[in-house]
Amino acid sequence: MRIKRRGTFLTGLLTTLALALTAPATGTASAADEPGTLAKPAFLAPFECDSVWTYSTYPDHGNVLDFVKAEGASAGAPVLASAAGTATRHNQPGGGGQYIRITHADGWTTEYMHLATYEVADGAQVAQGTVIGTVGSTGNTTGPHLHYEQELNGVHQDIELEGNVLSPYPSEYGEKFITSTNGCDGDPGDPDPPVLKDTALAYDGPATVSNGSPAPLSAKLTEKEGGAPVADREVTLTLGTDQTCKAKTDAAGKAACTIAAVAQPLTDSATVPLKATFAGDEAYKPSEATAELKLQYVTGRSYGLSATVPVLVLPIVIAPTPDTGEVRTADAKAVAPACTQNISAVVLTADALCANVTTTTGPSTSTAKSTLTKLSLGLPGLPVIEATGITATSTSTCTASTGTTDLKLTIAGTPVTVPDIPDYAIDLGAGAKVVVNEQTRTATGLTVNALHISGLGGADVVVASSTSAAHNCT
């Protein structure tokens, strides 16, 4: 929020040379040496009584300071004359913007740059504490602040305010502060500072966002009283803590901008904080709005085989093997436990069982897949079931969930032609059945079991199970 002033160094150099050329010979007192001349005014901070400001400078900036408010918005804050004098208006679009120079007694001047407004006429006589303008960001600057200078006969001097020399100057805001006593006498002749209007900001963008996808954000800025739209003001929209875009309000008070690709962490609540901010200016007070947006995410699980077979003497219980476990993410991810080469448990054998879940973003997608190369199951009292080349796949996005099963099935040595439809059931007799391509839908996703065999006594065998789901879609 700073500028380099052009021409100041040259002016000072020429003035210094002129003084040197006209200085009296050695032994002769100059006007500057005479008692009572060039008396320095008792400069006060150029801000309202009791307001606190922080200041800084930077290399090549010269013997000048930039001021911003320690708390609250700087934009629109009244700027007061540091001492009595004659105020003249100036404008330097590529540098100091709108600024006022006050000529004080005995060769002293002060300058107040980047003003949003002038509050005194050109050439006006002003008293110490007179409001001469308001803080703004006109000219070459990146944000509202007051650029302040003190000069003696055109040469910059170390800045002294409130009876204290402020040098050495800090290079960062927040290191040094000054509290103004200017105008604390309450002189009723001082002009009143401008009255800023209250504003209201409301987020009106989408309620959900998805990692890897663009997020079109928007907010509406209005006058708090009456609700009139506030146009041509910059609003900052921040998603999470680190993704920000900015836009100016249109005639309806709406500011809209887009985060190119959302990248936010998935929390337990699956939400992302959103903040819209208007910093305020010379006419309007600052305001902000917050919202909690839902973050789209996906889940998935797959496993090769699970079984409960109550055979005599030693019941068979096989936990889901291999099993990805529940996968929950808003990012691109792949989960694939080591394949199981063989399961052999008296009445069943299975070879090369594998399971994996893969997720992608932009849009969010979950694909669960489980495979077996071969299965043989012979439950007591039932025909032997054999299957090869078994694959079950379930895929979910925010728009659809789909599932497929692929296998070759033989029952009691006879090949079975399986139609390409979900939930194809085959009666095995004795209260047992096998369901091919079993599909169970939920509000968010789909589970696909390649084979589901059930029998008397609670026998239950699931072969190649895959589940996927998409959440926070609306």
Side-chain angles (χ1 to χ4, degrees):
M1 298 193 298
R2 300 162 177 154
I3 66 164
K4 291 183 181 178
R5 288 198 60 215
R6 298 182 176 90
T8 300
F9 174 77
L10 180 58
T11 300
L13 178 60
L14 292 174
T15 302
T16 302
L17 289 173
L19 290 173
L21 291 172
T22 58
T26 304
T28 302
S30 68
D33 297 324
E34 295 178 9
T37 62
L38 302 181
K40 188 173 188 178
F43 292 119
L44 297 181
F47 307 111
E48 288 184 303
C49 176
D50 292 333
S51 62
V52 181
W53 294 71
T54 181
Y55 54 90
S56 68
T57 191
Y58 59 91
D60 300 326
H61 196 206
N63 199 2
V64 299
L65 284 177
D66 291 333
F67 288 84
V68 297
K69 257 191 172 182
E71 293 185 2
S74 301
V79 176
L80 281 57
S82 286
T86 303
T88 54
R89 295 183 178 186
H90 303 271
N91 192 12
Q92 188 184 35
Q98 297 186 150
Y99 71 96
I100 282 180
R101 177 183 293 122
I102 299 179
T103 303
H104 310 283
D106 296 322
W108 286 90
T109 60
T110 52
E111 291 188 354
Y112 313 74
M113 295 189 176
H114 307 306
L115 300 178
T117 61
Y118 299 118
E119 297 298 325
V120 292
D122 188 38
Q125 297 297 311
V126 296
Q128 187 177 63
T130 298
V131 177
I132 59 173
T134 56
V135 174
S137 56
T138 58
N140 183 15
T141 177
T142 59
H145 72 284
L146 180 68
H147 173 110
Y148 179 81
E149 306 179 6
Q150 290 179 356
E151 298 177 1
L152 174 60
N153 293 324
V155 178
H156 285 108
Q157 304 296 304
D158 285 344
I159 292 174
E160 181 177 335
L161 294 171
E162 305 291 340
N164 297 306
V165 176
L166 303 188
S167 61
Y169 306 142
S171 60
E172 298 290 339
Y173 292 124
E175 294 182 10
K176 291 187 177 182
F177 302 85
I178 188 168
T179 301
S180 177
T181 65
N182 206 345
C184 289
D185 57 2
D187 185 349
D190 290 348
D192 292 331
V195 177
L196 306 184
K197 294 182 179 180
D198 288 318
T199 59
L201 195 58
Y203 175 73
D204 61 357
T208 65
V209 293
S210 175
N211 278 351
S213 297
L217 308 178
S218 62
K220 188 172 183 179
L221 181 66
T222 59
E223 293 182 5
K224 192 170 184 179
E225 184 175 349
V230 178
D232 200 32
R233 263 63 180 186
E234 187 175 78
V235 172
T236 300
L237 293 122
T238 302
L239 185 65
T241 60
D242 56 356
Q243 291 195 282
T244 297
C245 64
K246 298 181 179 182
K248 281 193 173 183
T249 54
D250 59 17
K254 185 168 184 174
C257 59
T258 298
I259 301 295
V262 175
Q264 294 295 321
L266 177 61
T267 62
D268 291 342
S269 63
T271 59
V272 180
L274 182 286
K275 178 183 284 189
T277 305
F278 168 57
D281 57 21
E282 66 275 8
Y284 292 98
K285 293 181 181 180
S287 57
E288 68 176 40
T290 60
E292 287 287 334
L293 307 189
K294 292 189 288 186
L295 179 64
Q296 291 181 11
Y297 68 98
V298 292
T299 54
R301 183 190 180 189
S302 69
Y303 61 86
L305 175 77
S306 69
T308 300
V309 182
V311 296
L312 297 176
V313 183
L314 186 63
I316 298 171
V317 177
I318 301 173
T321 305
D323 187 4
T324 63
E326 182 73 10
V327 177
R328 178 181 183 269
T329 184
D331 300 314
K333 191 174 186 178
V335 177
C339 295
T340 300
Q341 295 306 310
N342 178 263
I343 293 177
S344 181
V346 184
V347 296
L348 70 82
T349 58
D351 295 332
L353 301 84
C354 298
N356 68 79
V357 173
T358 302
T359 65
T360 60
T361 60
S364 297
T365 304
S366 172
T367 299
K369 185 176 182 179
S370 52
T371 62
L372 289 80
T373 59
K374 185 177 180 180
L375 169 80
S376 179
L377 176 65
L379 295 177
L382 297 179
V384 174
I385 299 170
E386 294 181 319
T388 59
I390 307 165
T391 301
T393 305
S394 174
T395 300
S396 292
T397 67
C398 273
T399 57
S401 293
T402 59
T404 60
T405 291
D406 188 25
L407 56 75
K408 291 183 178 180
L409 180 65
T410 299
I411 298 179
T414 302
V416 177
T417 300
V418 179
D420 187 17
I421 59 173
D423 304 315
Y424 181 68
I426 302 171
D427 187 0
L428 300 177
K433 68 175 181 178
V434 56
V435 179
V436 184
N437 192 20
E438 182 180 56
Q439 296 192 9
T440 304
R441 292 186 178 275
T442 65
T444 57
L446 173 68
T447 296
V448 178
N449 296 324
L451 293 172
H452 189 178
I453 303 106
S454 57
L456 293 175
D460 190 82
V461 179
V462 175
V463 181
S465 180
S466 297
T467 300
S468 65
H471 308 267
N472 277 354
C473 291
T474 57

